[in-house]
Structures are given as C-alpha cells and as structure tokens.
Amino acid sequence: MARIAIGGFSHETNCFVPMRTNYAYYEAGGEMPPLARREEVIERASGSTFGMSGFLDTVNPSHELVPLIWGQGGAGGYITDDCFERIVGELVGMLSQVMPVDAVYLDLHGAMCSLSYEDAEGELLRRVRACVGPLIPVVISLDYHANITEEMCRLTDGMAVYLTYPHIDRQGTGSRAALIMHRVLAEGIPAGRAIRRLPFLLPLNFQCTLVEPSKGIVEASVAGEGGDILNLCYAAGFPPSDLHECGPAVVCHAYSQAVADEIADRLSAMVLEQEANFSEPLMQPDEAVLEAMRIAETATKPVVLADTQDNPGCGGTCDTTGLLEALVRHDAQRVAMCVMWDADAAALAHEAGEGAEITFELGGKHGPDGVVPFHGTFTVTALSDGCFVTTGRSIGGRHIDIGLTALLTIGGVSIVTASKRMQAYDQDIFRHIGVAPEKQKILALKSTCHFRADFDPIAEKNLVVLALGAHLVDSTEYAFQNLREGVRLLPNGPSFTHGV
Ligand SMILES: [Zn+2]
C-alpha cells in the first residue's frame, strides 16, 4: 500500500489573445468544475471525463489517496501571476503538509503559460520536485495538445498523453497513468527518459487522430510500449502558446537510457517522415456558407461549418461574428449556431422574455482587431439557465453551467447565446434549449475538431471556415517572442526567425 498525493492544474494558453486567465475563473467553473480541494477533488472528478477521473477508477484501491487541489481550465489568455502563485502555491503547500508521501499523480495539460513562466507546468513540477525530492515518483497525465518540455520530461517518472483528438480518452489516459504508477511503485523509478522535439509546428486543424497521419502516429506510440519501456508518448503541441519549446514532441520513459533514446528516436523519425502529409482543406466564410447551402439542398443530414478560428478551446473569444454575418448575408435557412458568448445579450433577452423582438449588437466585443459586433433585430426564441449535463463522447457526464442563455433568431439563423464561453463540444448545448441539431440544414460550431466526436454521426459533411478570430490556423501569423529560432512554422513551411 502506498500513500499517493493527487492533484492538478490545467490550462491551454493562447498567448496571443488580450484576455488574461485569473484565479476567479478557476473558482467559478463553467464548462469545467470549479476549483476543488481535498475530498472535493474526488467528489468532482469521480465518474466524469477527466484524467483524474480515470486515475481514480483504476488506481489500486488499497492505496491511500491524499487529494490536494485540482483546478481544471479550458483555453484562454495568459495565466496571471496571481492565479499561478495561488493555485500552485496551495498545491505545493498542501503537499508539504501531507508529507511523507510515496508518490504523486498530477492531472496537467501541458500547454500552460503564465505571465512569468512560459513553461508553467515545468515550473509547477520543479516546485513539486523540490518538495518531494528526487526519490519519490511523480507521474503525470497530459493533453494531446501539450507542448512537452525538457523539464516536464526530466522532472517526471512516468507520463500518459491523450491518444485522441477529438479527445475521447481523457479518462483512459488517467487510467493509463494509474497503471504507470502501479509499475513504478512495484519496479522502481525508470532510469531512462528521453524527449525529441519535432522541427515544425502543427496547426490544430492538421492534428485530428480520426485521420492519417496522426492516427498512425498515436497507434505506433501505444504499440511501442511494454517491456523495458514504461511509456512512449506523442503530443501534437499547441501552436498559440508562445514558448521556446512549442510544438509536437515524443517522450519515452524506460528502464534504461539507451532504450529510451532509441525508442524516442524511432517514433520522432516516423512523425518527421509524415511532415508533408499533415493537412486539411480550409475555406473562407462566403465560400463555405455557399458550399454548405449547396450541399444542404439535397442532403438528409446537416452540414457542419467549423468556425475554427473562434474556437474557445484554442483561446478564441467565442464571440466573433464573421461566420454569422456570412450566413445572414446569404440568407441561409435552418441554421443553428453555438456558442456565442455575450452575457449582456443573454441578460437582455431574459429581461425581454420569450417571443420578444430586440434590436442590439451581438458579440464582437472582445477582439481581435477587425472583429465587429453584429447589429440586428433578433427574436428571443427560447431561454435557459445554461445548466445541463453533457452526454456526448468527448465530455459526457459534465455538469455545465454557462449562465443565463438565450436562443436568438435572425432570418433563418438561430444562435445559442450564453453568459460564459464554451466550445461546441456536444449536442446537448443545442438540445438543452430546445434545438434539435439533426433537424437543421446547417450547424455552425465554434470548434476545431472536438465537435466531431458528437456531431459526426449526425453530419453530412464538415467544412472548416477561416472567419476572423484569435485562434490563427496559419501559425506564420502569430507574433512569437519566445519561440526557438529555426523551427518551421507550418509543416514544410517557413522557418521562424526573430529577425534583426
Ligand atoms: Zn486538447
């Protein structure tokens, strides 16, 4: 029996949006559970779809678990220093109070940047390591979009990374972390660890594991585990994080350094060979709307327009209006859109009541430059308190609270307008306010790839739209400050240089 401290702190940081992510965001929760401490960690994570949920399911019940603090975030702008210091300070403070422990499990993301630490998880792990010393195993789970750094590799004794995008194996990853923990507790800390960074950035749109080449890469990573190899991980990276070590990487923990090096070399060579094959068609808003309308004339299922550049899961503001403008301009019919973040509009709609007509400016209030509000007269078609439970494959079982929510209709377009940001992960966002997504001609979703887990079964076709937004698909457009010199900004694309 071992005494295992468990906790977590996650965020996916888009360093190029003006918003900052503060402590209040973690306290409030929303599409994620609010910041949890001690027994609350187990209560909120159990039976849900987080790394922590899977770890709790799988860890040997004879072990004593000592929950610390667990803060789950989505994506957004830089973590403030206040937020980082309060949550990490509390995590490490609690850990030092409960010492001695035999092991530590942390549910992290891997793409967190705070204003003071570009590799925020590396800093968190450095402090955890300083607290427990070199001999206590530290095992972590990470998101597929992690920008895995040397520090994350060096300071851990085991690692599990999601194998799917859309992420349908968050729990499975936590379960794998628990199995890694069992092995480390039984056989000792692995002597070898290796990280190999790929020399290019990979836009999120090219990372989907439902298709090649990403499908084959994650399969090869799992197939490579066993024997002396404790874990072989591939993470595709998160280009909007501005750090030296941004981008895809391979990590291996093994019971010999030679094996770790050899296996990491082999998998990273496989990824490099595939560089030219990472791609996906991308369309401008007018072109995409007209194509969707054309397909919808004869289709039996809705066409999905993925408003990828405003995906809040990549740090988008969730309130851009470019796709909405194109849909209204072309008079598209039977269109449902989600989620538009506009707390003022949702409040106004609740004040006016169902059936009312209101004229105002919707969304477009949080940038980036060039995004403007959509001015129009909307009918308040339906209202909700924004509380519901998700049932989709990616984030099933989550208690969501996106605040006062309204369905606003203009022409043939109905927009789920909420008081908090949320990625269009799940059909329940529509259903909870009375919209049957399968009965629409077109679904406009602020998402990049996650929507596919729940919407692919009801969709005729997916089209990816490049409306103006803060998640730039083309990473050559990001004004990187910290990125390493020479990395290619796209597969086979131009190399990054700081200039003169
Ligand atoms: Zn992710």
Side-chain angles (χ1 to χ4, degrees):
M1 189 196 102
R3 183 171 152 82
I4 306 173
I6 59 171
F9 181 26
S10 77
H11 192 249
E12 191 173 68
T13 308
N14 181 333
C15 298
F16 302 101
V17 296
M19 292 181 292
R20 297 288 177 255
T21 303
N22 59 20
Y23 183 77
Y25 166 81
Y26 283 89
E27 267 200 317
E31 65 169 302
M32 299 288 182
L35 193 59
R37 294 176 175 83
R38 299 187 182 84
E39 286 309 307
E40 288 169 350
V41 177
I42 292 172
E43 282 162 27
R44 290 184 189 156
S46 293
S48 192
T49 45
F50 297 99
M52 180 64 79
S53 316
F55 186 87
L56 294 172
D57 282 346
T58 306
V59 70
N60 188 327
S62 71
H63 293 319
E64 180 196 356
L65 297 181
V66 187
L68 308 171
I69 190 168
W70 182 65
Q72 290 290 304
Y78 271 113
I79 297 276
T80 64
D81 285 341
D82 172 77
C83 177
F84 183 82
E85 294 302 336
R86 285 171 79 174
I87 295 177
V88 176
E90 198 171 335
L91 188 147
V92 176
M94 285 169 138
L95 180 59
S96 62
Q97 276 177 3
V98 302
M99 290 289 282
V101 297
D102 300 306
V104 180
Y105 164 66
L106 296 172
D107 179 10
L108 306 176
H109 183 289
M112 181 191 288
C113 301
S114 75
L115 283 166
S116 287
Y117 300 105
E118 64 175 53
D119 173 16
E121 283 92 352
E123 176 62 19
L124 184 160
L125 288 164
R126 196 186 62 73
R127 295 185 193 186
V128 165
R129 189 53 85 187
C131 179
V132 300
L135 302 178
I136 300 298
V138 176
V139 173
I140 62 173
S141 56
L142 295 174
D143 192 281
Y144 178 71
H145 297 116
N147 293 307
I148 309 180
T149 63
E150 303 265 352
E151 290 287 81
M152 291 183 218
C153 175
R154 184 176 68 81
L155 294 168
T156 57
D157 305 298
M159 184 184 287
V161 178
Y162 300 170
L163 300 169
T164 59
Y165 181 39
H167 305 327
I168 54 170
D169 71 330
R170 293 180 172 90
Q171 282 160 285
T173 303
S175 292
R176 289 189 293 119
L179 297 177
I180 290 168
M181 177 69 87
H182 290 166
R183 188 162 175 203
V184 172
L185 287 169
E187 298 179 31
I189 286 176
R193 60 214 60 206
I195 178 166
R196 298 290 182 271
R197 195 173 319 292
L198 277 301
F200 57 89
L201 302 186
L202 199 49
L204 276 89
N205 302 75
F206 303 166
Q207 297 182 358
C208 180
T209 58
L210 297 172
V211 293
E212 297 295 353
S214 301
K215 184 170 180 286
I217 293 167
V218 290
E219 284 168 1
S221 73
V222 183
E225 294 181 339
D228 276 352
I229 300 153
L230 181 63
N231 54 257
L232 176 59
C233 307
Y234 164 72
F238 188 65
S241 294
D242 186 7
L243 73 160
H244 184 80
E245 295 174 84
C246 184
V250 166
V251 168
C252 183
H253 289 80
Y255 282 91
S256 100
Q257 186 60 44
V259 169
D261 283 328
E262 183 196 331
I263 297 300
D265 280 340
R266 202 182 299 163
L267 185 60
S268 61
M270 178 190 169
V271 181
L272 190 57
E273 262 171 38
Q274 296 289 340
E275 182 173 357
N277 298 326
F278 291 101
S279 68
E280 184 181 57
L282 306 164
M283 301 173 94
Q284 294 302 315
D286 286 315
E287 179 193 7
V289 167
L290 291 171
E291 176 68 359
M293 290 168 70
R294 190 190 64 74
I295 299 170
E297 277 175 22
T298 52
T300 53
K301 298 194 278 188
V303 180
V304 170
L305 296 175
D307 192 359
T308 181
Q309 298 205 120
D310 195 31
N311 173 8
C314 304
T317 57
C318 206
D319 82 329
T320 69
T321 51
L323 180 54
L324 172 60
E325 276 169 21
L327 286 160
V328 174
R329 188 163 56 241
H330 293 293
D331 196 26
Q333 297 297 309
R334 280 169 62 194
V335 182
M337 173 181 259
C338 78
V339 172
M340 179 69 79
W341 172 44
D342 191 331
D344 293 342
L348 203 63
H350 275 257
E351 232 167 73
E354 237 171 79
E357 294 217 324
I358 44 178
T359 301
F360 64 97
E361 300 203 312
L362 178 65
K365 299 181 179 89
H366 296 88
D369 286 351
V371 171
V372 292
F374 182 92
H375 182 84
T377 299
F378 300 84
T379 304
V380 181
T381 313
L383 297 169
S384 93
D385 62 2
C387 295
F388 56 97
V389 178
T390 51
T391 57
R393 284 183 74 205
S394 181
I395 58 161
R398 279 200 208 164
H399 291 261
I400 304 291
D401 178 1
I402 48 174
L404 289 182
T405 299
L407 186 67
L408 303 172
T409 304
I410 182 162
V413 184
S414 293
I415 309 122
V416 179
T417 304
S419 301
K420 293 183 190 173
R421 298 154 72 231
M422 179 175 182
Q423 183 174 174
Y425 275 113
D426 192 294
Q427 294 183 34
D428 297 293
I429 303 169
F430 285 125
R431 294 193 193 286
H432 97 280
I433 198 160
V435 176
E438 73 281 5
K439 294 193 175 143
Q440 310 304 311
K441 286 281 188 192
I442 297 174
L443 297 171
L445 307 177
K446 290 185 184 287
S447 179
T448 297
C449 175
H450 281 317
F451 72 89
R452 295 188 58 170
D454 204 33
F455 287 93
D456 268 7
I458 62 159
E460 180 77 19
K461 189 174 172 62
N462 301 323
L463 304 175
V464 181
V465 189
L466 295 179
L468 197 55
H471 162 230
L472 301 174
V473 169
D474 181 355
S475 11
T476 62
E477 293 181 26
Y478 287 122
F480 288 105
Q481 301 286 321
N482 305 318
L483 189 60
R484 63 195 179 282
E485 195 85 9
V487 62
R488 291 188 281 286
L489 291 163
L490 292 168
N492 286 339
S495 295
F496 176 69
T497 172
H498 285 281
V500 283

